[in-house]
Amino acid sequence: MNQKTIISGDQKISLALMIPFIILTIQYFILVCFGLSETTDASRIQLLSKVIVGLAFLYTLPIVIKRSKLKLVGIYFASIFVFLLNYMLFPENSSYMKGVIFPFFFICLPALVYSMSIRNWDALLDLMRKASFIVFIVGTVLGLLVLLGKASVGVYSMSLSYYMLLPMIIYLNELIDNPSLKMLIFTLIAFLVILSLGSRGPILCVMVFVLLKIMRPFTKLTYTKLLLFLTAFTAILFTVIYLDSILHHINNILSNFGTKSRTIALFFREGVHLSGRENIYPKIVEAIQDNPLFGIGIAGD
């Protein structure tokens, strides 16, 4: 197999992996902008989205089978075995297990096997950049419509914030590796959409990414990289010191648009706000203590 064939195959696999991000973002945009979230049309749009994503995966399946036949068979055999074993050992979970069959076997596992089939990771990164731009444009437009009162996502939108996480990470990575005004603007816009309309989870993901990026040893330390590191460290230190003031300013700007950021409001609260999860934790601890060896099975939660 020549290099061009390998790259072409990697591009097709990468496209299949990135299409769900694009389709889901566009789907969310349509549902919110046209007020279709609670209508029968929403089910049709979601079904169409699944069909498009499914066709993309099916189109690429022959390449994946050719490259990773043993991995595909092994992973599915092991997963089905574990799933059936749990089904027999924990019959009380059967009704809940049925609910995870589709997302696990037809979304998560294919994404895993397809990712493992990629040989040229630059091809995936290239498709991620292109997908990120589309998601970024759609997400930014939706964010502007919400801020202008032309659309509504409710108190906050976890979906929108996680969709915008992809371009946020891609542009932040580009900003760290090759600093530019364009990447800085794109990164700030994505971050503001997440901060103003989204949840706290994506912000935590960004923080972890920055930490891992900084901790990664430089292959070759140059003056540019050293200057970048010092600049980033100074910016982070400045942000931490003046975090309250920065958040207050952002909150005031959002208030002028009639928008209240749930994330900023939670940051201002004393202690850690767990959104009701603190009521679940004691039950989880009790379940672990009662079943320390075998647990409570798949979907037992």
Side-chain angles (χ1 to χ4, degrees), residues 17-242:
L17 289 170
M18 289 298 104
I19 275 183
F21 291 93
I22 299 172
I23 296 300
L24 287 174
T25 305
I26 295 175
Q27 169 189 284
Y28 187 74
F29 180 88
I30 293 173
L31 293 178
V32 171
C33 288
F34 294 96
L36 301 175
S37 299
E38 303 297 330
T39 66
T40 54
D41 290 329
S43 300
R44 298 190 184 98
I45 294 173
Q46 290 167 348
L47 177 61
L48 177 61
S49 299
K50 291 179 181 178
V51 170
I52 294 174
V53 173
L55 289 175
F57 272 83
L58 284 175
Y59 175 71
T60 319
L61 183 60
I63 301 174
V64 175
I65 292 176
K66 189 175 181 179
R67 291 185 177 187
S68 308
K69 184 186 298 182
L70 292 178
K71 292 178 183 178
L72 179 66
V73 174
I75 289 174
Y76 267 89
F77 178 81
S79 300
I80 292 172
F81 174 77
V82 171
F83 201 87
L84 291 177
L85 186 63
N86 275 262
Y87 196 86
M88 291 185 293
L89 294 176
F90 304 97
E92 65 275 14
N93 298 341
S94 59
S95 60
Y96 303 107
M97 290 179 68
K98 292 175 183 177
V100 302
I101 289 177
F102 181 81
F104 182 67
F105 286 100
F106 296 95
I107 298 178
C108 297
L109 284 189
L112 171 65
V113 178
Y114 277 53
S115 300
M116 294 173 67
S117 303
I118 296 176
R119 297 174 182 173
N120 184 351
W121 288 96
D122 288 336
L124 176 61
L125 186 57
D126 180 59
L127 262 297
M128 287 181 72
R129 291 192 186 101
K130 294 175 181 177
S132 294
F133 182 72
I134 297 174
V135 172
F136 174 77
I137 294 298
V138 175
T140 301
V141 171
L142 179 57
L144 285 173
L145 291 175
V146 172
L147 291 176
L148 295 174
K150 304 296 182 181
S152 174
V153 294
V155 177
Y156 74 106
S157 173
M158 182 181 294
S159 299
L160 178 59
S161 58
Y162 276 105
Y163 295 151
M164 290 297 284
L165 179 61
L166 175 65
M168 174 74 199
I169 294 294
I170 290 296
Y171 295 144
L172 183 58
N173 185 61
E174 293 284 338
L175 179 64
I176 294 173
D177 289 340
N178 301 292
S180 68
L181 181 60
K182 176 183 175 182
M183 288 299 106
L184 177 61
I185 293 174
F186 282 7
T187 301
L188 289 176
I189 291 175
F191 181 73
L192 287 175
V193 172
I194 293 174
L195 182 64
S196 59
L197 302 175
S199 57
R200 293 168 291 172
I203 295 179
L204 177 61
C205 293
V206 172
M207 294 170 62
V208 171
F209 171 78
V210 172
L211 181 63
L212 293 175
K213 187 74 175 178
I214 293 176
M215 290 174 59
R216 182 181 179 183
F218 293 115
T219 54
K220 184 179 180 181
L221 185 60
T222 63
Y223 288 112
T224 302
K225 289 183 177 179
L226 180 60
L227 179 62
L228 175 62
F229 178 81
L230 293 174
T231 303
F233 179 78
T234 304
I236 293 172
L237 185 62
F238 178 84
T239 302
V240 171
I241 294 174
Y242 296 100

